[in-house]
Amino acid sequence: MKNFYNSLFLNNRFFYLLGSIAALFVVGFFVPVFFEISKVLLFILLTISLIDVILLYKLKNGIEFSRNLPERLSNGDVNTIRLNFTNTYGFKAHLNIIEELPYQFQKRDANFNLNIATGDNKSLFYDLKPNQRGVYNFGKTNIYTNTPLQLVTRKYILGEEKILKCYPSFLKLKEFDFKAFTNNTVSYGTKKMRRIGHSLEFEQIKEYVSGDDIRTLNWKATAKSNQLMVNQYIEEKSQPVYAIIDKGRAMQMQFNQLSLLDYAINATLAISNIILRKQDKAGMLSFSKKLEDWIVAEKRNSQMNLISESLYNLKTDFSESDFSTLYAVIKRKITHRSLLIIYTNFETMDGLNRQLPYLRALAKNHLVLIIFFKNTELQALINTDTDNIQDVYDSIIAEKFMYEKVRIVNELKKYGIQSVLTAPENLTGDVINKYLELKSRGLF
């Protein structure tokens, strides 16, 4: 009985009709005939309302419901949720659906209206875009059901509570997969050329021909065959590539509701997938005061799962990043020449100069690629029309900061350090393009 009272609601239409009848009763004090009419109308309203209640509660489960949630959410991407409804009533049902969404979305208007014919099935879709990694708790679904009379409402509380984890952006992996196959695709009529390199991966000994590098002469084979023989090497396919994520406070700047750290995390997941598809070894680590989340660069089947789980738990400590510790640990632990993709952010030349000695030291043994970010809000300020002196000052200062970024790129280039200066929203595509460029040029 308690559940019956808790699930039963009288609609606005009922109260409007009841109010009209009450007004007619008042008129009936002056015109007696309206008093009798009011009593008849009141009886009819109560009778129809009772019939409405009987129709709604005749079946124990007049509305069948299921909710299709993904196994996990993708951070920064649009995740689609599907709600399925079946009407087992003998009449057309009018539904008002209220979803209990996780508090992280701060969304209080998840209301949907749906009309379902008797015996019919319908699905409802809505999109959610999470902006932070972590645990999301989905509550139950409240379904307010009405008959065509719409005088009384029955409330169903259906579905199960479910906890989902929000991982770095994995939905875009397929979007960037095509880049991994671009260089592997051979058109008909095109001759596939082997690129000769000087890596440690030996291929064969062959006769010397004009144009071969004399530094690869094999003197023992030459003495045995009485003709010049050279060693031929091919490009190593399994090169180690490390994504190094700065977790310092400089990476907490927000753009489009995502921090720079989240953009770097999403890009790391995507580039790791491309690296493995290109037959290289993918690894990662993070740092601020100390190095954490170390995953050795490998080419195994479980590598993407390891990287994804490590990225899911990545958090900042809001401290100043220590590049000296980064250099010391990498020098000790990464002995093979590798591509180091470092996600960080430098706003001024002074900020770069404090860390430049350590970056130059890393560049002696590895190929270093620095990824840092354009301030898109400053760019918008520069492009805004200036109406007064204050706007002119603001625009000039913004241009000064943007010019500092260009100077940083040139300073890194001077010491042979690769760099990518990109807008946060273009980060993943630009990093993948740079990786493919460096690989095609044989720089690592």
Side-chain angles (χ1 to χ4, degrees):
M1 185 60 70
K2 182 179 179 181
N3 292 335
F4 172 76
Y5 286 117
N6 289 338
S7 63
L8 179 64
F9 299 90
L10 297 175
N11 290 349
N12 289 340
R13 180 178 293 185
F14 174 85
F15 290 107
Y16 293 150
L17 293 173
L18 186 62
S20 300
I21 293 172
L24 203 58
F25 268 113
V26 174
V27 176
F29 279 105
F30 304 100
V31 183
V33 66
F34 285 106
F35 190 81
E36 297 301 324
I37 295 174
S38 301
K39 289 194 292 185
V40 174
L41 292 176
L42 179 60
F43 176 77
I44 292 174
L45 176 62
L46 295 178
T47 302
I48 294 176
S49 299
L50 180 60
I51 294 173
D52 211 11
V53 172
I54 293 172
L55 290 174
L56 285 172
Y57 286 87
K58 182 179 180 181
L59 298 178
K60 183 177 181 181
N61 296 309
I63 300 295
E64 296 178 356
F65 168 79
S66 63
R67 178 171 58 189
N68 294 342
L69 293 170
E71 293 183 2
R72 53 184 181 172
L73 298 175
S74 179
N75 190 31
D77 296 328
V78 174
N79 298 260
T80 301
I81 311 298
R82 178 178 177 179
L83 307 179
N84 305 305
F85 303 89
T86 302
N87 179 16
T88 62
Y89 282 118
F91 54 83
K92 182 178 181 180
H94 302 266
L95 308 182
N96 178 251
I97 302 106
I98 300 179
E99 273 281 73
E100 296 178 358
L101 299 179
Y103 71 88
Q104 289 95 332
F105 293 108
Q106 292 296 302
K107 193 172 183 180
R108 300 293 181 264
D109 58 348
N111 296 355
F112 311 97
N113 294 306
L114 193 64
N115 296 324
I116 311 180
T118 178
D120 197 7
N121 302 308
K122 278 194 176 181
S123 296
L124 185 68
F125 299 87
Y126 65 92
D127 296 329
L128 295 175
K129 187 177 180 180
N131 293 315
Q132 62 185 62
R133 290 163 289 115
V135 175
Y136 287 70
N137 188 3
F138 285 80
K140 296 187 176 182
T141 302
N142 301 281
I143 305 173
Y144 295 87
T145 308
N146 297 276
T147 69
L149 297 173
Q150 297 190 36
L151 294 174
V152 178
T153 295
R154 179 180 178 181
K155 179 183 178 181
Y156 289 93
I157 302 178
L158 301 177
E160 298 295 331
E161 295 184 1
K162 190 169 182 180
I163 295 176
L164 297 182
K165 290 183 177 180
C166 182
Y167 281 83
S169 177
F170 57 86
L171 290 180
K172 290 184 178 178
L173 294 184
K174 291 183 179 180
E175 179 182 337
F176 293 104
D177 260 358
F178 77 94
K179 294 181 181 292
F181 292 102
T182 301
N183 292 344
N184 293 337
T185 304
V186 180
S187 302
Y188 291 107
T190 302
K191 183 180 179 181
K192 185 176 180 181
M193 303 295 294
R194 177 190 290 113
R195 187 171 71 220
I196 307 301
H198 292 283
S199 68
L200 297 179
E201 188 171 340
F202 174 79
E203 184 183 32
Q204 64 177 347
I205 300 174
K206 71 179 189 69
E207 293 182 9
Y208 174 83
V209 295
S210 179
D212 283 341
D213 192 343
I214 60 174
R215 291 175 297 180
T216 62
L217 284 171
N218 188 318
W219 295 108
K220 289 184 178 179
T222 298
K224 291 180 180 178
S225 60
N226 287 327
Q227 58 181 344
L228 291 175
M229 305 294 290
V230 294
N231 294 332
Q232 180 172 290
Y233 301 89
I234 60 172
E235 175 195 9
E236 284 191 49
K237 294 183 178 179
S238 296
Q239 300 288 341
V241 181
Y242 283 90
I244 303 173
I245 301 176
D246 182 353
K247 297 192 300 182
R249 57 175 174 262
M251 295 291 284
Q252 291 308 301
M253 189 178 297
Q254 296 278 329
F255 290 95
N256 296 328
Q257 298 181 327
L258 281 179
S259 68
L260 296 182
L261 178 63
D262 282 316
Y263 281 111
I265 288 171
N266 292 343
T268 297
L269 187 66
I271 191 67
S272 297
N273 180 57
I274 298 298
I275 290 167
L276 294 172
R277 299 294 293 272
K278 297 294 286 184
Q279 304 302 314
D280 283 333
K281 300 176 182 178
M284 67 154 289
L285 60 126
S286 63
F287 76 102
S288 55
K289 287 184 177 179
K290 58 181 180 179
L291 265 66
E292 298 175 312
D293 308 296
W294 185 289
I295 296 179
V296 177
E298 295 288 350
K299 196 178 62 174
R300 52 194 170 194
N301 295 331
S302 60
Q303 194 72 355
M304 279 299 295
N305 288 333
L306 291 174
I307 292 173
S308 179
E309 288 296 330
S310 183
L311 292 173
Y312 167 75
N313 294 312
L314 211 61
K315 295 180 180 179
T316 183
D317 55 10
F318 295 96
S319 60
E320 182 73 20
S321 300
D322 187 353
F323 279 76
S324 63
T325 301
L326 175 67
Y327 165 71
V329 175
I330 287 180
K331 183 176 177 61
R332 186 173 68 253
K333 288 191 173 184
I334 304 180
T335 56
H336 194 284
R337 178 175 169 81
S338 307
L339 171 61
L340 306 180
I341 304 176
I342 302 177
Y343 298 90
T344 186
N345 197 34
F346 297 117
E347 292 291 342
T348 62
M349 283 296 299
D350 289 338
L352 172 67
N353 290 332
R354 287 197 299 269
Q355 315 301 345
L356 190 57
Y358 307 112
L359 297 177
R360 292 177 61 187
L362 286 174
K364 291 180 179 179
N365 301 313
H366 305 279
L367 178 61
V368 178
L369 172 59
I370 303 296
I371 312 295
F372 62 112
F373 301 88
K374 294 178 181 177
N375 191 325
T376 53
E377 293 184 4
L378 288 180
Q379 188 63 55
L381 185 61
I382 294 171
N383 296 333
T384 303
D385 294 334
T386 55
D387 299 326
N388 50 59
I389 295 297
Q390 183 62 48
D391 291 343
V392 173
Y393 289 159
D394 293 342
S395 179
I396 291 173
I397 293 173
E399 288 185 4
K400 177 181 179 298
F401 278 108
M402 293 296 289
Y403 179 66
E404 282 281 284
K405 296 278 188 177
V406 177
R407 288 184 61 200
I408 291 172
V409 172
N410 293 331
E411 187 71 13
L412 291 171
K413 186 177 180 180
K414 184 192 303 183
Y415 298 105
I417 299 174
Q418 301 288 328
S419 64
V420 172
L421 174 60
T422 179
E425 59 269 20
N426 300 329
L427 173 64
T428 302
D430 288 346
V431 173
I432 291 174
N433 287 335
K434 190 65 176 180
Y435 161 75
L436 295 175
E437 176 196 335
L438 296 176
K439 187 170 180 65
S440 65
R441 291 167 58 190
L443 295 183
F444 70 98

